[in-house]
Amino acid sequence: MKSIIITGGAGFIGSHVVRLFVNKYPDYRIINVDKLTYAGNLANLKDIEDKPNYRFVRADICDFDTIFALMKEEHVTGVIHLAAESHVDRSIKDPFTFARTNVMGTLSMLQAAKLYWESLPEKWEGKRFYHISTDEVYGALEIEHPEILFTEQTKYNPHSPYSASKASSDHFVRAFHDTYGMPTIVTNCSNNYGPYQFPEKLIPLFINNIRHRKPLPVYGKGENVRDWLYVVDHARAIDIIFHNGKIAETYNIGGFNEWKNIDIIKTIIKTVDKLLGRPEGADLDLITYVTDRAGHDMRYAIDSTKLQRELGWEPSLQFEEGIEKTVRWYLDNQEWLDNITSGEYEKYYDDMYKNR
Ligand code: NAD
Ligand code: DAU
């Protein structure tokens, strides 16, 4: 029997990974370790919270003693590590929190797994530490060279405190393999979209603002390019890589789906207007160009050929289908959005944007 800790399981991507593993593997024990920061929300997991193979533990990944004790108690054989501070704009305001959680938290997870697994007679056998990372560690690509994508060989060149902290955590994971022989895997994925994403990120924020006819703050000229993947396809890739990926390897995950921000924004406006029965283009006037994000990376684009060729993964959804499904989900789940866009978050949002 496998006993797997999934960290950050109450967040956006983590909740999809927990759901997939709990439903697909009834004979695995899935332990969701999450601190429940502003981004963690147990409402994301309502449909699986009573399953017998699922346990939620509220804990901070930086709390080594608690994590180590939990690994021993649950006879943990695998870790899928997603817990992190994940929003670039927050990292610009508060880099310390990103270093603490993303760097020290990952180190605490690694050291707890190392000490626990080394104490067992079979040691590393049947064990796996899978670290989820981002394409942002590779830096930025040029719009003028669309033929160049991030591959697994691209040198790290992070620009934001967020991506610097993720890059550092990736290095620690690889160092634990190279130094101690820990069976690790790292994946670097492109921008995810879909249900349960916290509405500070572009797509859910803009859907919600359009619905309420609030301004849409487009950074700079809206010409930055991101490579979008439906979150369930990321969770499917994580499942395949956790089970069949090669130890010590890196896999890039992405759907070859690059979009300029302004084009995505227009698509979202069109889709929201259609689904709400508003005249086409009724909300285009909400587009508001604001001061650019500091150090804003121009373009991300992932080459996921290795994953597709070696492990047979490919995205299941075309973007047009995925975006309509996503807009529909947010419009149908207004209560979920209302619960997190009130109180503390509302204050943060106002502070963040009043000076832009
Ligand atoms: P998220 O912000 O939605 O969720 C993060 C989760 O981690 C939350 O549930 C939060 O409560 C938890 N958490 C934060 N600090 C913690 C701590 N100290 N201890 C325990 N739990 C803590 O993030 P997400 O968008 O779901 O991203 C998940 C992971 O995937 C991150 O590692 C991120 O870097 C990576 N990633 C994200 C994307 C994306 O587009 N969102 C793309 C590629 C990689
Ligand atoms: O590439 C993977 C990364 O994607 C993940 O590692 C991060 O955790 C995740 O947050 C995401 O980072 P981005 O910075 O690309 O995502 P965000 O949704 O914040 O912004 C997407 C683009 O939209 C980016 O070019 C900035 C722009 N933007 C964003 C917001 C929130 C705006 O123009 N206006 C906005 O209000």
Side-chain angles (χ1 to χ4, degrees), residues 82-248:
L82 296 106
E85 290 292 335
S86 69
H87 192 41
V88 174
D89 292 329
R90 286 182 189 253
S91 83
I92 295 167
K93 293 216 155 209
D94 174 21
F96 276 114
T97 304
F98 282 69
R100 180 185 179 274
T101 294
N102 299 359
V103 185
M104 293 306 288
T106 299
L107 183 54
S108 153
M109 291 301 302
L110 284 163
Q111 184 71 351
K114 172 185 180 285
L115 293 186
Y116 171 54
W117 289 338
E118 278 185 341
S119 74
L120 302 173
E122 78 280 8
K123 299 202 186 301
W124 305 123
E125 206 185 308
K127 312 297 190 306
R128 194 154 279 217
F129 191 106
Y130 178 2
H131 175 64
I132 308 299
S133 192
T134 169
D135 59 1
E136 299 199 13
V137 297
Y138 295 125
L141 296 166
E142 291 169 13
I143 303 269
E144 296 73 28
H145 287 283
E147 76 287 0
I148 301 180
L149 310 181
F150 296 135
T151 73
E152 288 82 359
Q153 280 71 47
T154 304
K155 275 216 178 116
Y156 276 29
N157 186 19
H159 298 131
S160 73
Y162 163 68
S163 53
S165 68
K166 290 297 289 186
S168 170
S169 66
D170 295 9
H171 290 318
F172 269 108
V173 174
R174 296 192 179 105
F176 266 62
H177 171 268
D178 297 349
T179 307
Y180 309 111
M182 181 181 270
T184 59
I185 296 188
V186 177
T187 57
N188 298 85
C189 188
S190 61
N191 284 61
N192 284 215
Y193 71 99
Y196 301 114
Q197 185 168 32
F198 195 85
E200 64 188 348
K201 308 282 167 69
L202 179 77
I203 291 182
L205 174 69
F206 278 33
I207 295 171
N208 199 34
N209 282 11
I210 298 164
R211 177 179 198 141
H212 296 291
R213 296 235 357 108
K214 284 163 80 173
L216 307 175
V218 181
Y219 299 167
K221 294 183 178 151
E223 281 172 0
N224 303 65
V225 170
R226 295 293 181 266
D227 183 358
W228 294 93
L229 181 69
Y230 192 61
V231 61
V232 174
D233 283 327
H234 188 187
R236 286 177 47 248
I238 290 172
D239 176 21
I240 292 170
I241 294 163
F242 180 74
H243 289 95
N244 304 322
K246 278 199 216 130
I247 297 301

Side-chain angles (χ1 to χ4, degrees), residues 324-338:
E324 175 144 352
K325 224 172 143 159
T326 301
V327 170
R328 203 181 285 280
W329 188 87
Y330 286 98
L331 295 181
D332 288 348
N333 287 274
Q334 190 58 43
E335 202 185 324
W336 181 90
L337 271 169
D338 287 345

